[in-house]
Every structure is written in C-alpha cells, then in structure tokens.
Amino acid sequence: MQEVYEFLKACGTYYLATVEGDQPRVRPFGTVDIFEDKLYIQTGKVKEVSKEMQANPKVEICAFNGQKWIRVAGEVVRDDRIEPKKHMLDSYPNLQALYRADDDNTEVLYLKNATATISSFTEEPKVIKF
C-alpha cells in the first residue's frame, strides 16, 4: 500500500472513476493519504462524486507518471471520524481554506478490497492487494 500511495502522491493528479446509474464518471483528484494503515482519498459530501460513491462504492483510480501507470480498483468506505479528516487536511494545508475537519462537508474515504496494478510497456505488471 505504501508503494501505491507513493506512486499516486508523485503523480500529483490521479483520475477517479465512479458510476452514476449506468454512466461511468471520471474526475481528476489529488488527495491521497495513509491513516491507520488504510489508503484514504478526500472530497466534499455536497459533490456529485460523493453521492455516486455512496450509491455504488466500487471505484477505480488511474494515474500515469510518464513511464508507468497504475490502476487501483476497490471499494470506498466513508470514515466520519474527525481524526482521519484532520490528518488528511494537515497533509494538504491548501485545502484548509475550503474544508475543515469538523464541518458537515469534508469527506474522507478509505479503500478496502483493493487491487493495484502497476504497468508499463517494458515490464510485467506488478499487482498489490490491500
């Protein structure tokens, strides 16, 4: 999981795929954190992406670093505790103008039953499960 975190963090931007009914939705994201041995992402509860993940928690993340790409498939679980929200916002101080750990909007979610695959055109894929 640490390798997945480092890959996503180094990319800066990754793309999160959700489903709205039968329509796939893909958006750029940039927040990733490890808290209590879980990989977390962050968004706002008022956003459509949040509503989509609550209706169908299966997601996929994709990022490319110029040579290799990663795909992370799994399920997200909302964590409403203040501690992981604070940890995330401490890791991304620029978000503190928009979000607070104790507001009703900040949402952090961790991935469970996740499988990450790191691929390139020159190497065999590396699979990481967490």
Side-chain angles (χ1 to χ4, degrees), residues 64-69 118-126:
F64 181 62
N65 71 6
Q67 297 179 22
K68 296 180 181 183
W69 59 94
I118 300 173
S119 302
S120 76
F121 290 115
T122 59
E123 300 173 16
E124 288 296 314
K126 180 176 186 177

Side-chain angles (χ1 to χ4, degrees), residues 44-46 78 80 85 99-107:
K45 290 179 183 175
V46 298
R78 179 188 279 170
D80 282 324
K85 293 177 185 182
Y99 298 99
R100 288 189 344 261
D102 63 351
D103 68 18
D104 291 330
N105 182 40
T106 301
E107 177 177 45

Side-chain angles (χ1 to χ4, degrees), residues 15-73:
Y15 296 87
L16 176 75
T18 61
V19 177
E20 179 185 30
D22 66 349
Q23 179 63 47
R25 301 287 183 199
V26 180
R27 297 169 179 85
F29 266 63
T31 53
V32 62
D33 195 19
I34 292 180
F35 181 75
E36 294 181 345
D37 297 322
K38 294 181 177 110
L39 187 73
Y40 280 80
I41 62 173
Q42 183 273 332
T43 191
K45 290 179 183 175
V46 298
K47 295 182 178 182
E48 290 301 313
V49 67
S50 172
K51 296 170 189 164
E52 292 160 13
M53 289 187 288
Q54 294 310 307
N56 181 349
K58 292 182 180 177
V59 300
E60 189 159 301
I61 291 170
C62 185
F64 181 62
N65 71 6
Q67 297 179 22
K68 296 180 181 183
W69 59 94
I70 190 170
R71 292 175 52 215
V72 185

